[in-house]
Amino acid sequence: AWTGEIRGRVVCDVCGDSSIGPEDHVLYGAEVAVLCITKSGEVFNYQAFTNSRGIYTVAETMPETDRWVSCLARPIKSFHERCTRRGDSHSGIKFTYNLTSGHSHTVKPFLYKPATAPIYC
């Protein structure tokens, strides 16, 4: 059997500067969708929510002949009361999954920003 894992973080970009700094914080409970296509052409659609450290994880064990070959991860929703606007210019991140069994692919963080930036920004 083959096992794959995808993980990433969701962060509140408090100042809306598209970079993660000390003023930013992780978002708990943010929803992320991951769509993967296997070698055999089957499509798997996963839904994940971030934990208290802002990390989401998707994992699957399947036959080597049906393993993932490419995936698309995209943010769906932030449930944080002040940080709900998507801060990324792209709607998702597409990537080739060519890792051997038991290895994890890390997706760059998805950013959300508040409707208004604090004065200290």
Side-chain angles (χ1 to χ4, degrees):
W2 173 88
T3 300
E5 182 179 83
I6 298 164
R7 67 176 61 197
R9 286 189 323 154
V10 180
V11 177
C12 180
D13 182 13
V14 174
C15 291
D17 57 3
S18 298
S19 65
I20 299 173
E23 71 281 358
D24 301 326
H25 59 87
V26 298
L27 292 175
Y28 170 74
E31 184 179 5
V32 176
V34 179
L35 181 84
C36 292
I37 299 173
T38 67
K39 280 182 173 182
S40 65
E42 193 171 355
V43 176
F44 286 85
N45 193 12
Y46 303 95
Q47 176 184 30
F49 293 89
T50 57
N51 63 19
S52 61
R53 297 184 326 241
I55 297 171
Y56 65 90
T57 304
V58 168
E60 185 79 60
T61 299
M62 56 184 55
E64 174 68 35
T65 55
D66 288 333
R67 57 167 279 177
W68 299 329
V69 290
S70 66
C71 297
L72 170 71
R74 61 188 178 91
I76 300 297
K77 186 168 178 74
S78 165
F79 295 96
H80 189 275
E81 62 187 41
R82 290 184 302 274
C83 203
T84 57
R85 292 180 42 219
R86 293 246 307 271
D88 301 275
S89 59
H90 53 282
S91 60
I93 298 171
K94 184 179 178 182
F95 54 93
T96 301
Y97 198 102
N98 55 8
L99 301 173
T100 56
S101 184
H103 289 83
S104 178
H105 179 90
T106 302
V107 178
K108 76 176 199 160
F110 291 120
L111 304 176
Y112 282 86
K113 58 185 178 181
T116 56
I119 294 171
Y120 61 80
C121 291

